[in-house]
Amino acid sequence: MVRRTKEDAQKTRDDILGAAEVCFHRKGISRTSLSEIATAAGVTRGAIYWHFQDKSALVGALLERVSIPLQPLSEATRNPDEPDPLGRLRELLIRVFQSTVTDPQVRRVGEILFHKCEYTEDLGNLRQWMKDFRREHDQHAELALSNAVAKGQLPEDLDVLVASRCVNAFVTGMLDQFLLMPEGLDLNAKAEVLVDGLLDMLRLSPALRTP
């Protein structure tokens, strides 16, 4: 009985997330009410609050759901025992680009985050959540690049702070541009070229060296 109850709760949570993804993608986050999500999911508003504190928690759960397949690679880039952290970073970034093109769910969540995520006054938690999310990714990039420096894969005088921000700005910029104008570049076909160009910049740019 307990196991069945847990399974039912997980199904309800998944139904809510699926409905939120569709509603947010259609109308944007600020224009979508929890009542609309509840109706689309076939549950009550109370069921939503049982699983999620607010809209920002729903957005976070959506992103976590599409990020789970990438977590092992992301962790490998920061693992001091990983012999090829730069190779794992390359693989991670290529998969981020390609999955945005080929996985409909990843693409929808990306469009929600980049183009349908309004920081209105009544969604103050969402802005803070996004700041925390970006800060975490900055820290992950710093650790990954520091790991690659320690393994001799990047110059020992690389300005890791600046370089990590360049990496994240490049990735978010490419995703933003593709999601807005997918006809402008075949991101799936060019993923390796784009990532290799970024890594070449980290290896070779004098501007990214510490004084």
Side-chain angles (χ1 to χ4, degrees), residues 95-115:
R95 287 185 59 182
V96 167
F97 286 155
Q98 292 181 336
S99 65
T100 301
V101 181
T102 61
D103 188 321
Q105 185 178 60
V106 172
R107 186 163 179 168
R108 280 192 299 270
V109 172
E111 289 177 352
I112 291 168
L113 290 175
F114 281 97
H115 300 142

Side-chain angles (χ1 to χ4, degrees):
M1 180 64 72
V2 173
R3 182 173 60 85
R4 186 163 59 250
T5 300
K6 289 181 178 179
E7 290 173 351
D8 290 344
Q10 183 61 49
K11 182 181 184 305
T12 298
R13 187 179 189 275
D14 290 341
D15 289 344
I16 293 170
L17 285 174
E21 181 183 314
V22 171
C23 292
F24 288 157
H25 187 256
R26 183 174 64 246
K27 296 182 63 176
I29 295 174
S30 68
R31 295 180 61 195
T32 299
S33 69
L34 293 181
S35 294
E36 288 175 295
I37 295 172
T39 299
V43 302
T44 64
R45 277 172 56 96
I48 293 180
Y49 283 117
W50 177 263
H51 290 278
F52 305 100
Q53 181 179 0
D54 52 24
K55 282 187 186 179
S56 61
L58 271 170
V59 175
L62 285 176
L63 183 58
E64 180 181 6
R65 188 162 66 165
V66 300
S67 298
I68 285 175
L70 298 174
Q71 285 178 358
L73 268 178
S74 178
E75 292 168 2
T77 66
R78 307 185 301 275
N79 183 354
D81 295 326
E82 166 59 49
D84 185 17
L86 198 63
R88 300 289 75 74
L89 179 63
R90 178 181 185 274
E91 187 178 351
L92 172 65
L93 297 182
I94 289 171
R95 287 185 59 182
V96 167
F97 286 155
Q98 292 181 336
S99 65
T100 301
V101 181
T102 61
D103 188 321
Q105 185 178 60
V106 172
R107 186 163 179 168
R108 280 192 299 270
V109 172
E111 289 177 352
I112 291 168
L113 290 175
F114 281 97
H115 300 142
K116 301 184 180 184
C117 183
E118 309 90 339
Y119 298 135
T120 55
E121 186 175 349
D122 61 329
L123 290 174
N125 287 341
L126 182 59
R127 183 180 181 86
Q128 185 59 51
W129 182 89
M130 286 298 295
K131 287 175 67 175
D132 293 342
F133 171 74
R134 294 288 181 93
R135 187 177 296 112
E136 180 182 14
H137 275 255
D138 284 342
Q139 293 169 349
H140 285 181
E142 285 183 52
L143 289 172
L145 297 186
S146 295
N147 200 16
V149 170
K151 295 294 192 301
Q153 296 180 311
L154 289 174
E156 61 180 2
D157 59 348
L158 180 72
D159 189 331
V160 172
L161 178 65
V162 173
S164 64
R165 301 313 188 266
C166 288
V167 169
N168 283 339
F170 179 86
V171 173
T172 56
M174 287 305 309
L175 293 177
D176 175 75
Q177 184 166 327
F178 169 77
L179 292 169
L180 186 64
M181 299 186 300
E183 72 280 2
L185 178 69
D186 188 341
L187 188 59
N188 187 39
K190 296 296 184 180
E192 292 189 21
V193 172
L194 291 167
V195 173
D196 286 341
L198 174 63
L199 298 185
D200 284 346
M201 179 186 72
L202 298 178
R203 294 188 187 97
L204 303 174
S205 174
L208 294 181
R209 305 293 179 265
T210 55

